[in-house]
Amino acid sequence: MKCEHCTRKECSKKTKTDDQENLSADAPSSAQENGEKCDTSKHKVLVVSVCPQSLPYFAAKFNLSVTEASRRLCGFLKSLGVHYVFDTTIATDFSILESQKEFVRRYRQHSEEERTLPMLTSACPGWVRYAERVLGRPITAHLCTAKSPQQIMGSLVKDYFARQQNLSPEKIFHIIVAPCYDKKLEALQEGALPALHGSRGTDCVLTSGEIAQIMEQGDLSVKDATIDTLFGDLKEDKVTRHDGASSDGHLAHIFRHAAKELFNEDVEEVTYRALRNKDFQEVTLEKNGEVVLRFAAAYGFRNIQNMILKLKKGKFPYHFVEVLACAGGCLNGRGQAQTPEGQADKALLRQMEGIYADIPVRRPGSSAHMQELYQEWLGGINSPKAQEVLHTTYQSQEHRAHSLDIKW
C-alpha cells in the first residue's frame, strides 16, 4: 500500500536496512524532502468495493447505524492506504436491468420446441459453480447470462473508472468486501478479461468477517469518511439497497418489470408466500383469474436439490427462480454473522435483517448516471460492448442428468 515516490503520508515507505529497522513510517523520504508529487505510475491505486449486504454486519457488530457503519468502514480502509471505496449497488443495477431484459426475451421465445424457461439467476457464485460442475448443460442452459454484480463491478473499476483516472487496468488493485467465501472463488475463476487488456476485474476478495478482525486488531485513529462514487467529486450521501429481503432483489425487480412489460400490470407490493419453508417462497401474478407469472425464491441447497428434482420430473411450474446457495440469503453468508465455532449467529443475523430492511430501496436504473454509463462506457444499451461486458457464458460438464422434460 505504500511507495517511496509519494509525498502523501499513507504512501511513505519505511526503509528496512539493518541500522534503520525501527525508523518511523512518518519519517520523510527523499522524494518528500524534494517536494515531489505522488507518481501513480510507480505503484498500484487501491480500490475497495463493498457489497450492500456487508454493511448491516458492521452496523450490528459495532452498534452503529448503517450510514455510520459505512463511513467508519470507509475511514478505516482509507487509514490503511486505500485510495477509493465504492458501493457495488450500481453494479447490481446493471445486473438486474440486463436480467430483466433477458427474462422478457426468454418468456416471449419460450415454446415446446425452444424451452427457454425457467430462467435461473446467476448472481450467486456458489450456485453457479454447482450448476456448472455437477448439473451440467440441462441446467446451465437456464442460467441467466447477465454477469453477477461482482463481475460487473470489476469491469466498472478496471475499465470505466480506470479511463476516468487515465490509468491502465493493471495499475489498479481491486478488492471486494463481501459476505460470502464463494466470492473468492468467483474472483479466481473469472480469469483475465479481454476488455480489460488481460487484467482481472477483481484481484482480491475479503469477507466482512475478515475485515472486522483487521479492524479489531488494528490500533489506528480512524476518522469517518463518506463512500466515494465513480463520478468524480460526488459523494454518496446515503446507503441504499435493492428490493430483496436478504439479497440483491433480482426476483422483485424482474417480477415488476415482467408484469408491466408483458401484461401491462403495475405491481407496487411484491407479496411472497412461503411454501416448504421460509427459504422457498413464491410470487404470482394473476390476470383474468389465471396465473400468468409464477416466480420462486430457492435459498439453501436443500431447496435447490428439491428444485432440481422437480425440474427433472417436469413438475416445476415456475417461470423464474432466484437461487442462492446460502440458506437465509446473502445476509447469512458464512463470511459474516458466524460464532467462533463456525455456526450461524442467529441473534446477530436477526439484528442485521432489521437493519437491512430499514435501508431505503432504490429501483435499478433510477441513478441519473445509468443512461450516461450505458452510452459513454458501453456505447449503447444493446451494443456489442454491452453484451461483452455485462453477459457471460457457462462451462458445463457432460450431461450428468437426464434432459429436462418440462411441460408448460
Side-chain angles (χ1 to χ4, degrees):
M1 291 185 184
K2 301 180 181 181
C3 90
E4 60 188 346
H5 303 278
C6 303
T7 58
R8 289 193 294 186
K9 179 179 177 181
E10 67 265 28
C11 289
S12 62
K13 182 180 179 181
K14 180 166 66 174
T15 305
K16 289 191 175 180
T17 57
D18 290 340
D19 59 342
Q20 292 178 309
E21 187 64 31
N22 297 317
L23 184 64
S24 169
D26 292 338
S29 66
S30 59
Q32 289 174 312
E33 291 173 344
N34 294 330
E36 295 178 16
K37 299 293 183 181
C38 174
D39 183 357
T40 57
S41 67
K42 302 296 184 181
H43 65 90
K44 297 274 189 179
V45 172
L46 297 176
V47 176
V48 174
S49 298
V50 182
C51 296
Q53 293 83 15
S54 292
L55 293 178
Y57 168 73
F58 292 107
K61 187 170 183 63
F62 298 114
N63 195 28
L64 301 168
S65 72
V66 74
T67 300
E68 291 171 336
S70 72
R71 292 178 176 175
R72 185 68 54 85
L73 175 63
C74 182
F76 173 75
L77 292 169
K78 289 191 173 184
S79 73
L80 296 179
V82 172
H83 299 93
Y84 299 93
V85 181
F86 297 132
D87 178 1
T88 65
T89 306
I90 193 167
T92 307
D93 279 346
F94 277 110
S95 182
I96 293 173
L97 289 172
E98 294 298 307
S99 298
Q100 288 178 170
K101 291 189 297 182
E102 181 169 339
F103 176 78
V104 169
R105 176 180 58 79
R106 282 177 178 251
Y107 188 95
R108 288 172 172 161
Q109 292 178 350
H110 181 78
S111 65
E112 286 296 321
E113 293 73 31
E114 187 177 0
R115 297 180 178 180
T116 59
L117 297 177
M119 188 173 91
L120 311 174
T121 52
S122 55
C124 172
W127 150 242
V128 170
R129 179 174 172 81
Y130 178 71
E132 288 182 313
R133 291 295 188 92
V134 178
L135 304 174
R137 178 66 185 170
I139 298 300
T140 57
H142 292 268
L143 286 174
C144 178
T145 66
K147 286 184 178 179
S148 71
Q150 175 171 304
Q151 292 171 319
I152 294 173
M153 195 68 201
S155 295
L156 275 166
V157 169
K158 292 289 189 83
D159 188 17
Y160 176 78
F161 179 70
R163 293 185 191 184
Q164 298 297 102
Q165 300 295 314
N166 294 316
L167 294 168
S168 60
E170 61 268 19
K171 292 297 183 182
I172 297 176
F173 192 84
H174 183 212
I175 303 166
I176 293 281
V177 176
C180 173
Y181 286 105
D182 286 337
K183 298 288 187 181
K184 295 174 182 279
L185 186 60
E186 181 179 25
L188 287 173
Q189 289 184 316
E190 182 180 299
L193 303 177
L196 303 182
H197 311 291
S199 176
R200 289 179 181 272
T202 301
D203 298 292
C204 175
V205 174
L206 294 173
T207 66
S208 317
E210 289 169 336
I211 292 291
Q213 287 180 349
I214 297 172
M215 294 176 78
E216 291 172 333
Q217 293 168 3
D219 185 22
L220 297 171
S221 176
V222 177
K223 294 182 179 180
D224 292 358
T226 308
I227 296 283
D228 301 297
T229 75
L230 296 165
F231 310 102
D233 296 330
L234 295 177
K235 294 292 183 181
E236 291 284 3
D237 293 328
K238 62 180 181 180
V239 176
T240 60
R241 65 175 177 90
H242 292 94
D243 194 3
S246 61
S247 67
D248 285 322
H250 284 71
L251 186 154
H253 293 296
I254 294 171
F255 185 81
R256 288 194 184 97
H257 178 79
K260 182 64 175 178
E261 191 76 11
L262 297 170
F263 302 103
N264 197 32
E265 294 284 342
D266 293 306
V267 177
E268 291 299 325
E269 188 75 20
V270 176
T271 303
Y272 293 81
R273 184 168 69 95
L275 298 180
R276 290 166 48 88
N277 50 67
K278 66 181 181 64
D279 283 329
F280 193 93
Q281 302 186 66
E282 75 169 16
V283 177
T284 59
L285 175 70
E286 291 190 17
K287 190 163 185 175
N288 300 323
E290 178 187 359
V291 175
V292 291
L293 285 178
R294 192 184 297 272
F295 283 27
Y299 298 170
F301 270 98
R302 65 170 177 168
N303 288 316
I304 292 174
Q305 293 284 11
N306 182 62
M307 176 190 75
I308 298 304
L309 181 62
K310 289 188 175 181
L311 278 169
K312 292 177 182 178
K313 292 181 177 179
K315 298 178 179 179
F316 194 73
Y318 293 101
H319 301 98
F320 174 91
V321 191
E322 182 180 83
V323 190
L324 298 174
C326 290
C330 296
L331 278 181
N332 196 31
R334 293 186 65 83
Q336 61 185 25
Q338 298 289 304
T339 66
E341 294 74 32
Q343 302 298 316
D345 188 333
K346 294 183 179 180
L348 185 62
L349 180 59
R350 284 193 296 271
Q351 189 178 354
M352 289 163 55
E353 289 172 343
I355 293 170
Y356 193 66
D358 288 338
I359 298 175
V361 172
R362 65 188 274 176
R363 294 289 179 93
S366 61
S367 166
H369 297 287
M370 287 302 295
Q371 292 305 315
E372 171 190 330
L373 283 169
Y374 266 114
Q375 295 302 322
E376 293 186 9
W377 176 39
L378 301 172
I381 291 178
N382 296 311
S383 69
K385 184 172 182 181
Q387 180 65 31
E388 175 189 7
V389 172
L390 303 178
H391 291 265
T392 189
T393 56
Y394 300 101
Q395 304 297 319
S396 299
Q397 301 289 336
E398 292 299 318
H399 293 343
R400 296 189 179 186
H402 298 296
S403 296
L404 296 178
D405 184 19
I406 308 174
K407 298 178 181 181
W408 296 89

